[in-house]
Amino acid sequence: MKGRTLLMIPGPVESEPEVMAALADPATSHVAPAFIEIFGRALERLRTVFSCPDGQPFVVAGSGTLAMDLLAANLTEPGTRALVVNTGYFGDRFGDMLARYGAEVTHLRAPVGGAPTPAEVDAALSLRRYNLLTITHVDTSTGVRADVQGIAAIARRHDVLCLVDGVCSVGGEALDMAAWGVDAALTASQKALAVPPGLALAVAGPRALAAFSARKTPVASYYSDWSLWLPVMQAYEARKPAYFGTPAVNLVHALEVSLAQIVAEGMAARVTRHRRLSDALKGGIGALGLNQVPLRPELAATTLTAVYYPDGVNASFLPKVAAAGVILAGGLHKEIRDRYFRIGHMGTVRPADILATLGALETGLAAAGYRFDHGASVSAAQAALVG
Ligand SMILES: *Cc1c(COP(=O)(O)O)cnc(C)c1O
């Protein structure tokens, strides 16, 4: 079938047909009763997906970077002290953004492929007083997953707000905002929630909302200002019309459909599926003799896999994999950009996608002249999947 490919990058990802169908709805008013009901349900389901029963969800048209802005702009004032627990590209971005709003930013970094430990965060927070810290749950540039649960507990002990960039984790990795003491978290529609790009999603817990209320200065971003969005989100959840900026009506419907599927699967089952498929894929990668960017297996995310090219192979092999039907992503982290590639496996991913990806990967590697035992990765993954 000409033109049919499998998109296996760390966002945008493939969506279910029911989700795509929602995008083709006839035009609707953003204050039509049927749309108000859809928006209200989407907000309620976000509470479940983020596991934050007493949190305030925000759904705003924009990409994941706007979702970061929805936290940064509202929780930062000139002089705010922020610790960025940095595991790559998106930690740098969060730091830049907080600084733009006047924060004094300190980065706690790890070598590429590593992650600061809760003990290192504890030491940093003991050294001086901070108002907030940020963690990238899964840094999409390294495939590293940070210990959000451990770090959030440390943040709480130091009475520091804990903000989580979950763009590459929410809906794929375990995240329990309420139980772990995460004060605010964010994601975007096009990653593990399996909706096309275009929606910024955030949930603010009670302590984040209290910090917002205690601000002494106005929010420096107009579009991100919670005081403009809060009445809108509250109205839709109360099934009442409201307006500040026109919602992306079709995308909100697609989100509502996907969230219903996610809640029906169950968060625990979804996390288990991602873990199982990730283990199978990573086993296949190992069987080809390829090394991954995360320094230790327990640091590796289950939503994507970051792999170093073997000797003699470079980014020019990715079009060969694409010619075999599977789209993969190149590198992003500035220190290693040309030395690795990335495979996204989040959202709707299923066993057949993993096997197809490894098959296409082998085809690309063979075309690039890399020598390996043909079928080894598919065989290892299949053994893991049926085992
Ligand atoms: C993709 C991503 C972002 C940015 O999202 P955009 O939709 O590209 O703006 C931020 N953080 C992480 C961890 C991401 O994976």
Side-chain angles (χ1 to χ4, degrees):
M1 197 177 178
K2 211 166 151 237
R4 191 159 70 87
T5 54
L6 179 62
L7 186 60
M8 296 291 283
I9 66 173
V13 304
E14 303 261 351
S15 297
E16 293 291 354
E18 298 81 2
V19 172
M20 297 309 281
L23 294 173
D25 281 347
T28 181
S29 162
H30 58 291
V31 292
F35 178 72
I36 292 172
E37 177 60 30
I38 285 167
F39 204 153
R41 279 203 298 260
L43 291 164
E44 286 161 5
R45 286 177 188 147
L46 279 179
R47 283 213 182 78
T48 305
V49 169
F50 281 77
S51 189
C52 193
D54 48 5
Q56 174 59 55
F58 295 88
V59 175
V60 177
S63 82
T65 305
L66 177 72
M68 297 168 77
D69 201 70
L70 282 169
L71 302 196
N74 287 283
L75 298 173
T76 308
E77 297 186 76
T80 295
R81 287 180 173 182
L83 182 71
V84 173
V85 180
N86 192 318
T87 46
Y89 182 92
F90 289 104
D92 290 346
R93 178 171 294 187
F94 226 154
D96 288 347
M97 200 181 277
L98 294 162
R100 185 71 64 90
Y101 290 118
E104 275 178 49
V105 178
T106 304
H107 288 270
L108 182 62
R109 295 178 191 274
V112 177
T117 62
E120 286 164 343
V121 174
D122 193 16
L125 295 183
S126 303
L127 222 53
R128 59 177 294 192
R129 169 84 199 131
Y130 289 94
N131 304 98
L132 63 85
L133 66 75
T134 71
I135 314 169
T136 312
H137 195 174
V138 170
D139 201 297
T140 322
S141 71
T142 54
V144 166
R145 181 183 58 222
D147 178 359
V148 169
Q149 185 174 10
I151 294 169
I154 301 290
R156 183 57 66 97
R157 258 209 287 118
H158 288 269
D159 196 25
V160 170
L161 277 187
C162 177
L163 317 186
V164 172
D165 173 354
V167 177
C168 200
S169 75
V170 172
E173 302 280 359
L175 171 68
D176 191 330
M177 281 184 70
W180 295 359
V182 170
D183 296 305
L186 66 103
T187 189
S189 49
Q190 80 276 17
K191 306 240 176 145
L193 298 183
V195 177
L199 292 178
L201 309 167
V203 175
R207 284 166 27 109
L209 292 166
F212 170 70
S213 301
R215 287 181 68 95
K216 294 184 184 64
T217 59
V219 174
S221 160
Y222 186 74
Y223 189 61
S224 287
D225 189 342
W226 284 355
S227 50
L228 300 169
W229 288 112
L230 269 168
V232 175
M233 300 302 143
Q234 286 161 352
Y236 274 106
E237 218 173 337
R239 307 301 194 264
K240 293 191 187 113
Y243 169 73
F244 166 53
T246 306
V249 286
N250 291 61
L251 276 171
V252 171
H253 189 197
L255 174 72
E256 188 262 342
V257 172
S258 193
L259 292 177
Q261 293 174 345
I262 291 168
V263 171
E265 180 178 14
M267 298 313 293
R270 200 169 167 90
V271 167
T272 302
R273 171 167 59 86
H274 280 81
R275 147 92 29 224
R276 185 167 158 265
L277 296 178
S278 174
D279 285 351
L281 181 85
K282 288 173 170 66
I285 296 292
L288 295 174
L290 305 185
N291 296 317
Q292 293 176 41
V293 175
L295 296 174
R296 293 185 304 283
E298 66 273 19
L299 288 172
T302 67
T303 49
L304 84 156
T305 302
V307 188
Y308 285 110
Y309 296 120
D311 284 345
V313 177
N314 57 37
S316 67
F317 112 108
L318 294 174
K320 299 185 171 79
V321 182
V326 178
I327 315 295
L328 306 181
L332 180 62
H333 193 291
K334 62 179 185 295
E335 286 178 43
I336 54 171
R337 193 180 334 251
D338 299 325
R339 291 172 46 207
Y340 77 114
F341 65 100
R342 297 173 300 151
I343 307 170
H345 34 86
M346 60 187 126
T348 63
V349 66
R350 44 195 190 138
D353 299 333
I354 299 299
L355 298 173
T357 299
L358 289 169
L361 179 65
E362 287 201 9
T363 303
L365 286 171
Y370 179 62
R371 296 173 73 85
F372 60 97
D373 196 2
H374 292 175
S377 73
V378 180
S379 175
Q382 179 67 356
L385 290 169
V386 299

